[in-house]
Amino acid sequence: MISKSESFFEKLNEWIGDVFYDILPEAGFDLRDEQVFMAFQLEKAFKDKKVTFAEAGVGTGKTIVYLLYAICYARYTNQPAIIACADERLIEQLVKKEGDIAKLESALDLHVDVRLAKSRDQYLCLNKLDALINDDIEAYNSVHESLPRFVHESSTLQKFHRYGERTEYPHLTDEQWSNIGWDALQDCLACSRRHRCGLTLQREHYRNAADLIVCSHDFYMEHIWTKESRKREGELPFLPDGSCVVFDEGHLLEFASQKALTYRYTERTLETLLTRIMDNDIRDKTLGLMENAISVNEQLFDELVKFSSESKSSEKMTVKKSPSINSLAENLLWILDSLQEELVFESEMFVINDYNLKIVEEYLDQISYSLSLFARRSVGINWLENHNGEKTLVIMPKMVEEILRKEVFSQDKPFVFSSATLSDNKSFDYLAKSLGIDEYASFSVNSPFDYEEMMEIYLSEFASGDFQSKAQYTLDQLKLSKGKTLVLFTDKNELGSFKRYTEEHNVDFPILFEGDAEISTLVSRFQNDDDTVLCSVNLWEGLDVPGKSLENVILFDLPFPPNDPVFAAKREEAEDAFNEVDMPYMILRLRQGIGRLIRSHSDRGTVHLLLDNQLEASVLDRILSVLPVQPKKAIR
C-alpha cells in the first residue's frame, strides 16, 4: 500500500530494489548488474512518460525488467499495459508455461492477468470451413470435428472458451489455412455466427485484461490506423487505451507501420465480389457494367505484369506506370463509380440479398479508393506481388513517420522500445527519425556474457553468385555438427534452392525449412530435437533456443535490404543511401542473427558468416567493428 505521504514512483523504486537484490536471487535468479541498471533507467521513462530506447544485450534479462514496470504501471493506472511483440510467434513465446511471465508469477507469488490479442488472419472462419467439409478433405474435416460443442448449439455461451487459432492446427499448410481462415471478403459484422466465433470471443476476452495485453507489432499498428473509422462505424477499436506500450524487438516497428497502412488489391477480388450477385434478377445495364469491370480489371493486371520488374531478393515487383496502365486504371474507376450508382437502384428493387449487397458495396468503395491512390497520387510506393499465379497490386504511403508522430507518439504515456539492437554506431537517430520520434531518452546495456569464452566466429569468402560452393560449405558444416544448426537466409528463393540442394545429398539428420509447416511448430521441433537443422528467412530476430539444440548459426548472406520499391523509396530520400539506409539495416540485422547463438551462460557455439570475396574493405571493417569476438578465417 502507498501512504498519502509517498509517491507511487518512490514506492516503486524501493520495491524494484527489493525484487532484484533480494526476492529474485532467493528464487534462483542470477543477480545481474546490467539488469539492475536497466531497471532504474526505466523508472525515469515511466515517471516522465517518455519515449525510451532501451537497448540491452542478450542475456541482460530485459523482458523481466519491462514486464515488472508494465504490470506495476497497469495496476497504478487501472489500465492494461500493451506489450507488442515483433510477430505472432513471439506472442506465444512470452506467455508459454516456462516463459518470463510464468517465472515472475512464481517468484513473486503473483497472479498476472495476461491475455493475447492476435491478428484477424490467425483465426478460423466457421462459414468458410462449412463450405469445405463435404469435399472429403481429411485436413478440413478434422478441424471441423475438433470444434467445441457450443459452436453448433443455439444455447447461450456461459463461459469464455478460446478456440480457432492458427497454432491449434499445425498440420495445415499455409495454403490450406488460407482456405478456412479469416479474410477481408467476409462481412463479420453481419455474420449470424459472430458471437460463437473464436475471433469475436477472444476479442471480447482480451479487452477486459487487468494487467497485460500481448499483441504483435502488426496488430498494434492496425489498431492505430483503424480506431477512428471503427468508432465512426459504432465499433470498438481493436485494443483498449493502454496505460503504456512496450515494443519488444522495437527496431522492427517501422515495417509493421508500413504494412498496416498498405492497401492491397488482388486481381481475383473484383470478380469474386461481382459473381456473388450476378445470378440475381438484375437489370441488363447493371450486368453489362459488371462484365465490363471484370474485363478491364483483367486487362489492367495483364498490363501491370508487362510493366513490372522482379527483384532477386524480394517478392515485390517494381511497377513502372505507363500511359496504358493509367488509362486502364482511370477507366476501371469510372466503371466502378457507375456500377455503384446502378446498385443503388437494384437495392431499391429488393432483387439482391442485403448481406451480399452490403459486402459488395463496401469492397467496391475500398477498391475504388485503392485505385484512386494508385492512379492519381504521385507520392506513394506501388508494387506487384505474384503468389502462385494470384496477382496483387500493393499501394503504400511513401513514409510513415508523420502519421506515427501524430497518431502514436503524441500520446501522453510511456513508450518503451526494447531490443538488443536499436542503435547504429551508438546513435539512436536512425530509428527515431524513421518513426517520427522527435524527443526520446535512451540507454545501452552490454550483454553480461563472456563471448570470448563462449563463441567462435568464422569468415568464409566465396565468388559472387557461387551458390554451389556456399551450399556445399554449409552442408559440410551441418554434417560436422550433426545438426544443431540454424541457417539464416535473406530471401525465399535462396532458401528454396538450398532445400533442393540438400534433397540431392544424403544427410542422416532432419532439416526443417520455413514454410513446410506452421512456424512455431517448426521451432518447437527444432528446440526439442538436439540433432535437427532449421533453415529460415524470418528468424533473424526473436528466436530463443538455449542449450544443445542450437550450437551453430550459419548466415548464408549479409542481410542487406532488398532492392524492392520500399527500400528504393527510402534510398531516394537519403543523401547517402548506402550509409544512411543499407548499412544501418544490414548491421542491425547482422547483430540480431549472431545473437541467436548464445542465449544462456551455459551456451557454447560457432557462427559462420559467408561473405562475397568482392566485399568492399569499408563494409568489412564495419562488420568487424560489431562482431562480439575476433573472427577466424575458415579453411575450405
Side-chain angles (χ1 to χ4, degrees), residues 337-355:
D337 286 344
S338 301
L339 179 57
Q340 286 172 294
E341 290 177 8
E342 294 305 316
L343 287 175
V344 173
F345 291 111
E346 300 291 349
S347 66
E348 293 171 353
M349 298 170 66
F350 302 102
V351 296
I352 304 176
N353 176 278
D354 280 346
Y355 174 81

Side-chain angles (χ1 to χ4, degrees), residues 302-350:
D302 287 344
E303 207 71 4
L304 286 168
V305 170
K306 188 189 300 184
F307 285 92
S308 296
S309 55
E310 294 188 8
S311 165
K312 174 183 176 295
S313 57
S314 172
E315 296 175 342
K316 301 179 180 71
M317 294 185 286
T318 302
V319 175
K320 182 181 179 182
K321 283 188 185 178
S322 67
S324 58
I325 286 176
N326 286 334
S327 175
L328 286 165
E330 289 288 356
N331 189 16
L332 183 55
L333 273 168
W334 180 86
I335 296 169
L336 293 180
D337 286 344
S338 301
L339 179 57
Q340 286 172 294
E341 290 177 8
E342 294 305 316
L343 287 175
V344 173
F345 291 111
E346 300 291 349
S347 66
E348 293 171 353
M349 298 170 66
F350 302 102

Side-chain angles (χ1 to χ4, degrees), residues 562-591:
N563 291 315
D564 66 14
V566 176
F567 280 97
K570 290 177 74 71
R571 293 180 184 108
E572 287 175 7
E573 296 289 321
E575 292 183 12
D576 181 355
F578 184 75
N579 286 307
E580 292 178 30
V581 177
D582 293 64
M583 277 292 284
Y585 176 93
M586 185 274 287
I587 291 296
L588 286 177
R589 203 156 169 82
L590 174 68
R591 291 168 61 197

